[in-house]
Amino acid sequence: MGYIAALRKEVYKDNRESLGCKFYGLGVKANECIMRKEDAGLTRNIGFVAHIDAGKTTTTERILFYSGRVYKIGEVDEGTATTDWMPQERERGITITSAATYCKWKDYNINIIDTPGHIDFTVEVERALKVLDGAVVIFCAVGGVEPQSETVWRQADKYHVSRIAFVNKMDRAGADFMNVVAEMRDKLGANAAAVQLPIYENDDFVGIVDLINNEAVYYEDELGEKVSRREIPSYLEKEAQSARDELLEKMAEIDDEFMNKFITQDKLSTQDIISAIRRFVITNRFHPVLCGSALKNKGIQLLLDAVCNFLPSPLDLKIVKGMKPSKNEIEEIEVDCKSPLCALCFKVFTDPFVGKLFYTRIYSGSVKTASSVYNATKKMKEKITKIVRMHANKQEIVNSAKAGDIVCLVGFKNTATGDTLCDEKFPLLLEEIKFPEPVVSLAIEPKTKADQDKLFTALKKLEAEDPSFRVSYNSDTGQNVISGMGQLHLEVMVERLLSDFKVQARVGKPQVAYKETITKRVESTGKFVQQTGGHGQYGHVVLLIEPNKKGGVIFENKIKGGIIPREFIPFVKEGTLDAANSGVLGGYPVTDIKATLIDGSFHEVDSSELSFKIAAEIAFKDGLKKAGPVLLEPIMDLEVVTPIEYLSQVIADLNTRRAKITSIAERKNVKTVRSEVPLREVFDYADTLRNLTQGRASYTIEPFYYDKVPNDVLIKILGI
């Protein structure tokens, strides 16, 4: 290790130099990107996830500064933050798209993805967590565990991402570090314990108690660069000892080996504690909690140390699992640059100058410029024309990349988000990323005839970038319809049409993305018969249509004995699924239905693919009418945080919106009201809440589930 560090010192004399590549070769140019196992072990692929406004981007900016990646600290409020580079982000002061960057801290190479906190852009968090090894979950010291904090925690659980927690904004009035730790245990079920404590002098946040090293860390200047380590102040000794005992006891409960050391040794070494925490974090059995204030430049160096000490490297993944495309068998590949290539394209972004950038995590093997890879999802080869590393929106060309790397590949024609890239001789399919369904729609049309083709092309590019953004055509109204996760999501997409693609468009008012389903099981027959002078058309199918809570429309074939020839079955399925795009009540998409082909007949001469497709459409539509169709609306999970004096007004207003209040909790002079409310009723909620509470309340909202529309509301929606 000393040899590697010494050689690195020769190559990288100044830690603030611009670094070229994640895998730093020994004595080679940075962009040659030659990886060794030591380098992979010193690599961290991490993301920052949190509730909106918890301080993810501010924390990322400080990390880039202290690691020497940037020379000046940018600020979110001033629109100068490195990772908030889009005009839409700088204008609003929020993160909209996940931004990738990288830095070096001591001997470690850290790849970072800064994710959005707003629920409208949750897809960015989803696909980032899919490819990351570890995450820093940031909590507000005043707000604690907020609704979106719970959402991102569950997303990390789904992908088994190792986590450490950072309680930010310790400088603010009302900050309560230990309360956040308690909320993590209660609300998230996290096995969390503090590894630090805040130090206050005259109500000012001045430093941090490091419980692992049993010392106090003070920040001597405003930039937080001058750090001194001293003894823990006397007034904090008892609290620090109690917190340290709790930390060690929590760890001892996890592991017999550590329990034995804890009981038998008079004093545990710092390395014993760090090694144990790392082991527990990697296996998701423990979550250490740190504290600081990113805005006030305190606690960031300690956070960087924790990232390096506790979070996993690509080598800790050990193996990557996938499915053989030809067989229903699990295949395992060792995480090593010498193994066959296995990579996942987790994001596509259109750059106005370079074209499409395919953000890719390489799990095993390697890629080189001008080489080909096999897209196992699409079953076709793709050519790599360029490989770049991203620093927000800036690109740095590298010649190759290997296992553990996160890079952008350029040159692909057919690859999409979620596609697996591999060696054609060793095809493998990684688990696909599942994305939420859109809940808000609006009509869009070009302002001029010249914009018509440009609009369609631009919308398709945006759809390819963002799997939660959908483009469709309503044949009844002759309008293009765009759908997304919320009003802000669609607003940003429309702005990008103008700024990125130079397309002028007119948009309608936001509309709820209703769905239709059925309430009973029916059998339905569809026949399509046409006789002409020559060959006619003959298709006859019988479908069993029934409710199914698994989402979407599932088609199953139970035809036996050749009643309908096998070659026509795929077209029966196609007709069924096409018919499901438009229901019988208001023309909304159909969901939660299973359609089973149980009978039918064919004509040896007149039957065709088209006739069976049309027959299936007839059968499905007729079945919908007979099966008790109902309209479904999206129900949102709404949390309002309001001063106590406005509680009655907030509840009264929610009652007028068909809200079902599920809980009312108290949190430091404010009340938290949680409810389930139809999306239709809260389009204007931001303005209303501001007026009700003189701008002092805040709220968060996210999609929850779909539910049946009441009859009186149904009449209004359908205009009957």
Short mmCIF file of all heavy atoms in Angstrom, two decimals, residues 230-261:
data_model
loop_
_atom_site.label_atom_id
_atom_site.label_comp_id
_atom_site.label_asym_id
_atom_site.label_seq_id
_atom_site.Cartn_x
_atom_site.Cartn_y
_atom_site.Cartn_z
N ARG A 230 -8.75 18.18 19.49
CA ARG A 230 -8.45 18.41 20.90
C ARG A 230 -9.17 17.39 21.77
O ARG A 230 -9.90 16.53 21.27
CB ARG A 230 -8.89 19.82 21.32
CG ARG A 230 -8.44 20.94 20.40
CD ARG A 230 -9.02 22.27 20.88
NE ARG A 230 -9.13 23.24 19.81
CZ ARG A 230 -9.86 24.34 19.87
NH1 ARG A 230 -10.54 24.61 20.98
NH2 ARG A 230 -9.91 25.18 18.85
N GLU A 231 -9.01 17.53 23.07
CA GLU A 231 -9.76 16.69 24.01
C GLU A 231 -11.23 17.12 24.00
O GLU A 231 -11.55 18.28 23.73
CB GLU A 231 -9.19 16.83 25.42
CG GLU A 231 -7.83 16.18 25.59
CD GLU A 231 -7.39 16.20 27.04
OE1 GLU A 231 -8.13 16.75 27.89
OE2 GLU A 231 -6.31 15.67 27.33
N ILE A 232 -12.09 16.17 24.30
CA ILE A 232 -13.54 16.47 24.36
C ILE A 232 -13.77 17.45 25.51
O ILE A 232 -13.25 17.25 26.62
CB ILE A 232 -14.34 15.17 24.58
CG1 ILE A 232 -14.15 14.24 23.38
CG2 ILE A 232 -15.83 15.48 24.78
CD1 ILE A 232 -14.72 12.85 23.59
N PRO A 233 -14.53 18.53 25.28
CA PRO A 233 -14.77 19.50 26.36
C PRO A 233 -15.44 18.83 27.56
O PRO A 233 -16.25 17.90 27.41
CB PRO A 233 -15.67 20.56 25.72
CG PRO A 233 -16.20 19.94 24.47
CD PRO A 233 -15.20 18.94 24.03
N SER A 234 -15.12 19.30 28.75
CA SER A 234 -15.57 18.64 29.99
C SER A 234 -17.09 18.55 30.09
O SER A 234 -17.63 17.56 30.58
CB SER A 234 -15.01 19.39 31.20
OG SER A 234 -15.39 20.76 31.15
N TYR A 235 -17.79 19.59 29.60
CA TYR A 235 -19.25 19.57 29.71
C TYR A 235 -19.92 18.54 28.78
O TYR A 235 -21.12 18.29 28.88
CB TYR A 235 -19.83 20.97 29.45
CG TYR A 235 -19.59 21.52 28.06
CD1 TYR A 235 -20.46 21.26 27.00
CD2 TYR A 235 -18.48 22.33 27.80
CE1 TYR A 235 -20.23 21.77 25.73
CE2 TYR A 235 -18.25 22.85 26.54
CZ TYR A 235 -19.12 22.56 25.51
OH TYR A 235 -18.90 23.07 24.25
N LEU A 236 -19.12 17.96 27.87
CA LEU A 236 -19.67 16.95 26.97
C LEU A 236 -19.15 15.54 27.25
O LEU A 236 -19.53 14.59 26.57
CB LEU A 236 -19.33 17.31 25.51
CG LEU A 236 -20.27 18.26 24.77
CD1 LEU A 236 -19.73 18.57 23.39
CD2 LEU A 236 -21.67 17.66 24.66
N GLU A 237 -18.27 15.41 28.26
CA GLU A 237 -17.63 14.12 28.50
C GLU A 237 -18.63 13.01 28.80
O GLU A 237 -18.55 11.91 28.23
CB GLU A 237 -16.62 14.24 29.64
CG GLU A 237 -15.30 14.89 29.21
CD GLU A 237 -14.31 15.00 30.36
OE1 GLU A 237 -14.70 14.66 31.50
OE2 GLU A 237 -13.17 15.41 30.11
N LYS A 238 -19.57 13.28 29.70
CA LYS A 238 -20.55 12.25 30.07
C LYS A 238 -21.43 11.87 28.88
O LYS A 238 -21.68 10.69 28.62
CB LYS A 238 -21.43 12.75 31.23
CG LYS A 238 -20.74 12.69 32.58
CD LYS A 238 -21.73 13.02 33.69
CE LYS A 238 -21.04 12.94 35.05
NZ LYS A 238 -21.98 13.30 36.16
N GLU A 239 -21.92 12.88 28.16
CA GLU A 239 -22.77 12.62 26.99
C GLU A 239 -22.01 11.83 25.93
O GLU A 239 -22.55 10.90 25.32
CB GLU A 239 -23.28 13.94 26.42
CG GLU A 239 -24.29 13.76 25.29
CD GLU A 239 -24.76 15.09 24.70
OE1 GLU A 239 -24.51 16.16 25.32
OE2 GLU A 239 -25.36 15.06 23.60
N ALA A 240 -20.75 12.20 25.71
CA ALA A 240 -19.93 11.51 24.71
C ALA A 240 -19.67 10.07 25.12
O ALA A 240 -19.73 9.15 24.29
CB ALA A 240 -18.61 12.26 24.50
N GLN A 241 -19.37 9.85 26.42
CA GLN A 241 -19.11 8.49 26.88
C GLN A 241 -20.36 7.63 26.76
O GLN A 241 -20.30 6.46 26.35
CB GLN A 241 -18.65 8.52 28.34
CG GLN A 241 -18.17 7.16 28.87
CD GLN A 241 -17.04 6.57 28.06
OE1 GLN A 241 -16.04 7.23 27.82
NE2 GLN A 241 -17.20 5.34 27.60
N SER A 242 -21.51 8.22 27.09
CA SER A 242 -22.78 7.48 26.99
C SER A 242 -23.07 7.13 25.53
O SER A 242 -23.49 6.00 25.22
CB SER A 242 -23.91 8.34 27.56
OG SER A 242 -25.16 7.72 27.34
N ALA A 243 -22.86 8.08 24.61
CA ALA A 243 -23.12 7.83 23.18
C ALA A 243 -22.15 6.79 22.63
O ALA A 243 -22.52 5.94 21.82
CB ALA A 243 -23.00 9.13 22.39
N ARG A 244 -20.88 6.83 23.10
CA ARG A 244 -19.89 5.84 22.63
C ARG A 244 -20.24 4.44 23.13
O ARG A 244 -20.13 3.46 22.39
CB ARG A 244 -18.49 6.25 23.10
CG ARG A 244 -17.37 5.47 22.41
CD ARG A 244 -16.01 6.03 22.82
NE ARG A 244 -14.97 5.57 21.92
CZ ARG A 244 -14.28 4.44 22.08
NH1 ARG A 244 -14.53 3.66 23.13
NH2 ARG A 244 -13.34 4.10 21.21
N ASP A 245 -20.68 4.36 24.39
CA ASP A 245 -21.10 3.06 24.93
C ASP A 245 -22.28 2.50 24.14
O ASP A 245 -22.32 1.30 23.84
CB ASP A 245 -21.49 3.21 26.41
CG ASP A 245 -20.28 3.47 27.30
OD1 ASP A 245 -19.15 3.22 26.84
OD2 ASP A 245 -20.49 3.93 28.45
N GLU A 246 -23.24 3.39 23.81
CA GLU A 246 -24.40 2.94 23.03
C GLU A 246 -23.97 2.44 21.65
O GLU A 246 -24.47 1.43 21.15
CB GLU A 246 -25.41 4.08 22.88
CG GLU A 246 -26.67 3.65 22.13
CD GLU A 246 -27.65 4.79 21.91
OE1 GLU A 246 -27.23 5.97 21.98
OE2 GLU A 246 -28.83 4.51 21.65
N LEU A 247 -23.02 3.17 21.01
CA LEU A 247 -22.50 2.75 19.71
C LEU A 247 -21.88 1.35 19.78
O LEU A 247 -22.20 0.48 18.97
CB LEU A 247 -21.45 3.77 19.24
CG LEU A 247 -20.57 3.36 18.04
CD1 LEU A 247 -21.42 3.22 16.79
CD2 LEU A 247 -19.44 4.37 17.83
N LEU A 248 -21.02 1.13 20.76
CA LEU A 248 -20.35 -0.16 20.87
C LEU A 248 -21.33 -1.28 21.23
O LEU A 248 -21.21 -2.41 20.74
CB LEU A 248 -19.24 -0.07 21.92
CG LEU A 248 -18.10 0.92 21.60
CD1 LEU A 248 -17.08 0.95 22.72
CD2 LEU A 248 -17.43 0.56 20.28
N GLU A 249 -22.32 -0.97 22.05
CA GLU A 249 -23.33 -1.98 22.41
C GLU A 249 -24.18 -2.36 21.19
O GLU A 249 -24.50 -3.53 20.99
CB GLU A 249 -24.22 -1.44 23.54
CG GLU A 249 -23.53 -1.43 24.90
CD GLU A 249 -24.29 -0.62 25.93
OE1 GLU A 249 -25.46 -0.24 25.65
OE2 GLU A 249 -23.72 -0.34 27.01
N LYS A 250 -24.54 -1.35 20.41
CA LYS A 250 -25.30 -1.63 19.18
C LYS A 250 -24.52 -2.56 18.26
O LYS A 250 -25.07 -3.47 17.65
CB LYS A 250 -25.61 -0.32 18.44
CG LYS A 250 -26.79 0.45 18.97
CD LYS A 250 -28.06 0.01 18.28
CE LYS A 250 -29.24 0.84 18.76
NZ LYS A 250 -30.52 0.27 18.27
N MET A 251 -23.23 -2.31 18.14
CA MET A 251 -22.39 -3.13 17.27
C MET A 251 -22.21 -4.53 17.85
O MET A 251 -22.19 -5.53 17.12
CB MET A 251 -21.03 -2.45 17.08
CG MET A 251 -21.11 -1.15 16.28
SD MET A 251 -19.59 -0.20 16.36
CE MET A 251 -18.45 -1.34 15.57
N ALA A 252 -22.10 -4.61 19.17
CA ALA A 252 -21.92 -5.92 19.81
C ALA A 252 -23.15 -6.81 19.63
O ALA A 252 -23.04 -8.04 19.56
CB ALA A 252 -21.62 -5.72 21.29
N GLU A 253 -24.32 -6.17 19.54
CA GLU A 253 -25.56 -6.94 19.34
C GLU A 253 -25.60 -7.60 17.96
O GLU A 253 -26.33 -8.56 17.74
CB GLU A 253 -26.77 -6.02 19.50
CG GLU A 253 -27.01 -5.55 20.93
CD GLU A 253 -28.06 -4.45 21.00
OE1 GLU A 253 -28.64 -4.12 19.93
OE2 GLU A 253 -28.29 -3.91 22.09
N ILE A 254 -24.84 -7.05 17.02
CA ILE A 254 -24.89 -7.53 15.64
C ILE A 254 -24.05 -8.77 15.42
O ILE A 254 -24.42 -9.68 14.68
CB ILE A 254 -24.40 -6.41 14.67
CG1 ILE A 254 -25.32 -5.19 14.77
CG2 ILE A 254 -24.34 -6.91 13.23
CD1 ILE A 254 -24.79 -3.98 14.02
N ASP A 255 -22.88 -8.82 16.09
CA ASP A 255 -21.85 -9.77 15.68
C ASP A 255 -21.18 -10.39 16.90
O ASP A 255 -20.73 -9.68 17.81
CB ASP A 255 -20.82 -9.01 14.84
CG ASP A 255 -19.73 -9.89 14.30
OD1 ASP A 255 -20.00 -10.62 13.33
OD2 ASP A 255 -18.62 -9.84 14.85
N ASP A 256 -21.11 -11.74 16.92
CA ASP A 256 -20.50 -12.45 18.06
C ASP A 256 -19.01 -12.15 18.20
O ASP A 256 -18.49 -12.04 19.31
CB ASP A 256 -20.70 -13.97 17.91
CG ASP A 256 -22.15 -14.36 18.09
OD1 ASP A 256 -22.91 -13.56 18.68
OD2 ASP A 256 -22.55 -15.46 17.64
N GLU A 257 -18.33 -12.02 17.06
CA GLU A 257 -16.89 -11.75 17.09
C GLU A 257 -16.62 -10.41 17.76
O GLU A 257 -15.73 -10.28 18.62
CB GLU A 257 -16.33 -11.75 15.66
CG GLU A 257 -14.84 -11.48 15.58
CD GLU A 257 -14.35 -11.35 14.15
OE1 GLU A 257 -15.03 -11.85 13.22
OE2 GLU A 257 -13.29 -10.73 13.95
N PHE A 258 -17.40 -9.39 17.37
CA PHE A 258 -17.22 -8.07 17.98
C PHE A 258 -17.67 -8.10 19.44
O PHE A 258 -17.05 -7.45 20.29
CB PHE A 258 -17.99 -7.01 17.20
CG PHE A 258 -17.68 -5.61 17.64
CD1 PHE A 258 -16.56 -4.95 17.17
CD2 PHE A 258 -18.50 -4.94 18.55
CE1 PHE A 258 -16.26 -3.66 17.58
CE2 PHE A 258 -18.21 -3.66 18.98
CZ PHE A 258 -17.08 -3.01 18.49
N MET A 259 -18.73 -8.82 19.72
CA MET A 259 -19.21 -8.96 21.09
C MET A 259 -18.11 -9.51 21.99
O MET A 259 -17.88 -9.03 23.11
CB MET A 259 -20.43 -9.89 21.13
CG MET A 259 -20.86 -10.33 22.51
SD MET A 259 -21.81 -9.09 23.39
CE MET A 259 -23.43 -9.33 22.67
N ASN A 260 -17.38 -10.52 21.49
CA ASN A 260 -16.31 -11.13 22.27
C ASN A 260 -15.20 -10.11 22.56
O ASN A 260 -14.70 -10.02 23.69
CB ASN A 260 -15.75 -12.34 21.51
CG ASN A 260 -14.74 -13.11 22.33
OD1 ASN A 260 -15.00 -13.47 23.48
ND2 ASN A 260 -13.58 -13.37 21.75
N LYS A 261 -14.84 -9.32 21.53
CA LYS A 261 -13.81 -8.30 21.73
C LYS A 261 -14.29 -7.23 22.72
O LYS A 261 -13.54 -6.76 23.57
CB LYS A 261 -13.47 -7.63 20.39
CG LYS A 261 -12.62 -8.47 19.46
CD LYS A 261 -12.25 -7.66 18.22
CE LYS A 261 -11.38 -8.48 17.27
NZ LYS A 261 -11.02 -7.72 16.06
#
